[in-house]
Amino acid sequence: MTTDKRIEDIKKIIRDYQDFPKPGVLFRDVFPVVKDPSCFKKLTDLLVEHINSLPEKVDVIVGLESRGFIFGPIIAQALNIGFVPVRKAGKLPGELIQVEYSLEYGKDKFEIQKDAVTEGQKVVVVDDLLATGGTMKAACQLMDKVKAKVLDCLVVIELTDLNGRQKVPYQMSSLIKY
Ligand SMILES: O=P(O)(O)OC[C@H]1O[C@H](OP(=O)(O)OP(=O)(O)O)[C@H](O)[C@@H]1O
Ligand SMILES: Nc1ncnc2[nH]cnc12
């Protein structure tokens, strides 16, 4: 993604919290961007422009609980396509597919409804932030299990200097890198 004045404006209002939620973690809080309507519009426009620049047309936006739910649906709506949630274990009804994963400050389990994305559908996976990449990698494993085609794994913020970074198996894109 290219440099853009809008990215600088967004970067200015992301807030940092040292030692949250655990000692040693520098937490990057994206919520001030959502609170500022002009910045939030800039951010969603940038994400939509990025998706429109992909070589293939996207069928479904997949968002990761919970901060991926802030950005995913608004992007899907702008693109006039559907949004599908990937949720932490025990939240979704019906037949599910599950994976376990580890993230910067813990472990969790992700689930998707079996028929939410169908074989061959082209998806973009959206989240607010990539740290170790464990969360995004787990979402990709779910996409493999439903035989979706992942065109892009898109995050607002990417932490590039983190120890224990896990490889995300598909194309990764981020607006802001630290
Ligand atoms: O790259 P990783 O090391 O896996 O970390 C990134 C993930 O961590 C945060 O989610 P969290 O699980 O804290 O949940 P939340 O969105 O519900 O706050 C963030 O929103 C990403 O999903
Ligand atoms: N450093 C961080 N800041 C905000 N969200 C996160 N999720 C995982 N690591 C994070």
Side-chain angles (χ1 to χ4, degrees):
M1 282 185 176
T2 50
T3 326
D4 188 303
K5 164 83 169 59
R6 292 173 294 180
I7 293 179
E8 293 313 309
D9 296 341
I10 295 161
K11 210 169 171 179
K12 273 184 212 146
I13 62 169
I14 290 171
R15 279 173 76 177
D16 299 343
Y17 294 86
Q18 187 60 59
D19 299 322
F20 180 86
K22 286 185 174 174
V25 175
L26 177 61
F27 191 86
R28 307 277 188 182
D29 184 14
V30 77
F31 278 111
V33 180
V34 183
K35 188 182 169 192
D36 180 322
S38 141
C39 257
F40 190 36
K41 175 85 171 79
K42 287 176 193 169
L43 176 53
T44 52
D45 283 352
L46 282 161
L47 295 172
V48 169
E49 285 165 26
H50 170 74
I51 292 172
N52 277 330
S53 77
L54 295 173
E56 290 180 77
K57 195 182 166 308
V58 183
D59 297 313
V60 179
I61 299 293
V62 174
L64 311 187
E65 184 171 357
S66 59
R67 285 173 261 160
F69 293 179
I70 302 161
F71 304 104
I74 201 161
I75 297 168
Q77 186 62 226
L79 294 164
N80 198 28
I81 58 176
F83 171 82
V84 165
V86 163
R87 296 210 65 182
K88 295 184 181 167
K91 304 277 186 179
L92 284 172
E95 274 199 81
L96 306 171
I97 300 172
Q98 187 184 80
V99 287
E100 283 193 33
Y101 66 98
S102 58
L103 68 157
E104 189 181 9
Y105 39 69
K107 280 191 170 174
D108 229 314
K109 285 179 193 163
F110 256 167
E111 291 178 339
I112 190 168
Q113 285 173 321
K114 234 177 184 168
D115 57 359
V117 178
T118 53
E119 182 170 347
Q121 278 196 308
K122 288 175 265 179
V123 304
V124 169
V125 184
V126 173
D127 205 357
D128 68 320
L129 182 141
L130 187 116
T132 64
T135 303
M136 190 55 88
K137 186 178 160 197
C140 290
Q141 287 166 351
L142 283 179
M143 291 304 105
D144 288 344
K145 288 188 182 199
V146 294
K147 298 191 171 69
K149 181 175 179 189
V150 180
L151 298 185
D152 198 42
C153 299
L154 176 59
V155 295
V156 178
I157 302 167
E158 180 178 357
L159 309 183
T160 56
D161 59 348
L162 215 81
N163 292 329
R165 176 81 177 256
Q166 302 182 49
K167 179 143 179 50
V168 175
Y170 296 108
Q171 174 175 299
M172 258 304 309
S173 305
S174 52
L175 281 184
I176 295 164
K177 292 181 174 55
Y178 289 102

